[in-house]
Amino acid sequence: MKTHYKLILSLVLGSLAGLFLHPYNQNEFIQNINSYLLEPLGQIFLRSIFMIVVPMIMSGLIVGVYQLTSHHGLAQVAKKTLLFTLLASSISVLVGLVMVNGFRPGDGVTLSPLDAEDLNKVQAVQKNVAASKPMAQALVEIIPKNPFEAATKAFDGEILALMFFSLIFGVALFRQKEKNQEVLWIPLFEECYRACMKIVEWVMGLAPYAVFALVFQSTFKFGHPILLSLGWYVLVVIMALLFQQFVVYSALLKWLAKRSPLAFFKACREVYLYAFATSSSNATLPRSLEIAEHKLKLSPEISRFVLTIGSTANQNGTALFEGITVLFLAQVYGIDLELSQQIKVILMSILAGVGTAGVPGGSLPLIMILTQQMGIPVEGMGLIMGVDRFLDMCRTTLNVSGDLVIAALVDDKATTG
Ligand code: ASP
């Protein structure tokens, strides 16, 4: 059976098993199977991928930038990446806001009290928000004082700093070459990158089982009532994500990249599944790189650069989700946001999309900041937490899809423009 069929089967079986066993989620035996078998299995899979993300990001970016500087001119590619990232993010937030204002899912929902676990999660996120830095400081800290420290804290918000260092390092290595000095490090980083990809290939053997385990946990825990009570809100998010994927991206691919959207989406099927199952742009990065190179036939230098940066800095799905969520919560609490406040939500959502780590739940601290800024009671997060895992799966799929679309746009322009 082909890998993506296996993954779909695991998704379906995992969610059905979770739903079926949800009524027995207090049963000790089933809880033990979940805690001692399925949960560790999902975690082993995710951690094995995360294990190679730092060396892969560093080597991928250093080699990518080095090659780009040699072949295409980095400045041009970087400029186009930035431009398309801002364009795609802005459109996605606007799509979200139009839908949430049109359908007003929050008008018919009443908040149910938080259970203890949700409350704990809310408090944990609140702590992160309290520790968050002002914008100017966050910008300055993109330059790491110590790249090794940035590497160790890559999943605690330092990943942009690590990327910044890798970019500069790649350019500096290129300058050595310009002076006709031999650059011994490049083959070394290339080997490192290939070794990372090999590890990913091994870990992927575990994917069908891990997907079952990960999906089972969400449905086993929350069952269908939580999804039903928030169904409308979830539906609006999904409709907006689908609109962005099939209307906006199709238009961008067709008109700007001159590619068939259908063929493009078909080639990316497997990546979408991985993104959906892992809820992590970073964990999906190895797969995206492979598909971009082998199936979409994008230039490896460009796709490495755009996809690696994009896995953290281009989160269209997250930006769209954040806009909808803030307005939904405002509706739930009966808070009317004026146009100027909605514009603020748009701008902050775009920035939040850029600054979100590509890990499961990476956007939650930023949503917290956004809701606080708008004067919305932070307890509303409990409502979101209940369905976040599922929506995370959906928005991550758009995040990753957006990265691939931008890589295609930049590739087209960089090679033919
Ligand atoms: N899970 C998302 C990603 O990895 C980030 C988020 O929206 O929480 O792309």
Side-chain angles (χ1 to χ4, degrees), residues 50 275 278-284 310-312 314-319 321-322 352-353 356-367 388-389 391-393 395-400 403:
F50 283 135
T278 60
S279 298
S280 166
S281 304
N282 287 351
T284 313
S311 70
T312 293
N314 177 50
Q315 313 264 20
N316 294 175
T318 296
F321 164 79
E322 295 191 345
T356 296
V359 296
S363 56
L364 291 177
L366 291 151
I367 293 222
D388 187 63
R389 173 73 199 176
L391 289 181
D392 198 1
M393 291 167 140
R395 66 180 183 258
T396 305
T397 310
L398 192 81
N399 288 345
V400 173
D403 296 340

Side-chain angles (χ1 to χ4, degrees), residues 7-213:
L7 288 174
I8 293 180
L9 195 67
S10 319
L11 271 178
V12 174
L13 290 180
S15 36
L16 286 181
L19 276 179
F20 180 70
L21 291 176
H22 171 68
Y24 312 104
N25 67 6
Q26 296 309 323
N27 177 300
E28 210 180 319
F29 177 69
I30 303 178
Q31 269 183 353
N32 283 344
I33 294 199
N34 190 32
S35 324
Y36 295 113
L37 185 72
L38 296 177
E39 219 177 289
L41 183 65
Q43 286 306 314
I44 287 172
F45 175 75
L46 288 178
R47 291 180 71 108
S48 311
I49 304 262
F50 283 135
M51 176 175 82
I52 54 102
V53 163
V54 167
M56 198 192 62
I57 280 186
M58 287 193 73
S59 53
L61 266 184
I62 291 172
V63 175
V65 167
Y66 177 86
Q67 289 171 341
L68 268 179
T69 329
S70 316
H71 301 311
H72 292 283
L74 174 68
Q76 199 203 13
V77 173
K79 233 192 292 164
K80 279 174 176 154
T81 307
L82 184 70
L83 188 88
F84 286 128
T85 300
L86 288 179
L87 177 77
S89 298
S90 314
I91 299 176
S92 63
V93 180
L94 282 176
V95 167
L97 290 199
V98 169
M99 294 242 180
V100 77
N101 276 316
F103 292 104
R104 301 198 63 83
D107 285 354
V109 180
T110 39
L111 279 180
S112 54
L114 298 182
D115 69 20
E117 200 179 332
D118 283 343
L119 203 60
N120 280 344
K121 284 193 211 158
V122 169
Q123 279 160 357
V125 176
Q126 250 171 330
K127 246 191 245 160
N128 285 343
V129 173
S132 72
K133 309 153 196 159
M135 187 62 81
Q137 195 188 344
L139 283 177
V140 169
E141 288 184 8
I142 287 183
I143 305 172
K145 259 201 271 182
N146 175 355
F148 297 105
E149 197 188 351
T152 56
K153 292 189 182 157
F155 295 122
D156 300 317
E158 297 286 322
I159 205 151
L160 275 181
L162 183 67
M163 288 180 170
F164 181 82
F165 171 76
S166 310
L167 283 178
I168 298 289
F169 201 78
V171 176
L173 284 181
F174 172 70
R175 289 279 178 242
Q176 302 296 103
K177 186 186 162 199
E178 271 189 334
K179 289 184 195 154
N180 285 330
Q181 288 171 7
E182 237 186 299
V183 184
L184 298 171
W185 287 47
I186 289 300
L188 199 77
F189 282 124
E190 268 173 340
E191 283 304 323
C192 171
Y193 185 80
R194 273 201 289 271
C196 293
M197 297 299 260
K198 191 79 214 157
I199 297 176
V200 173
E201 205 183 297
W202 292 334
V203 179
M204 287 307 161
L206 207 63
Y209 311 101
V211 167
F212 177 91

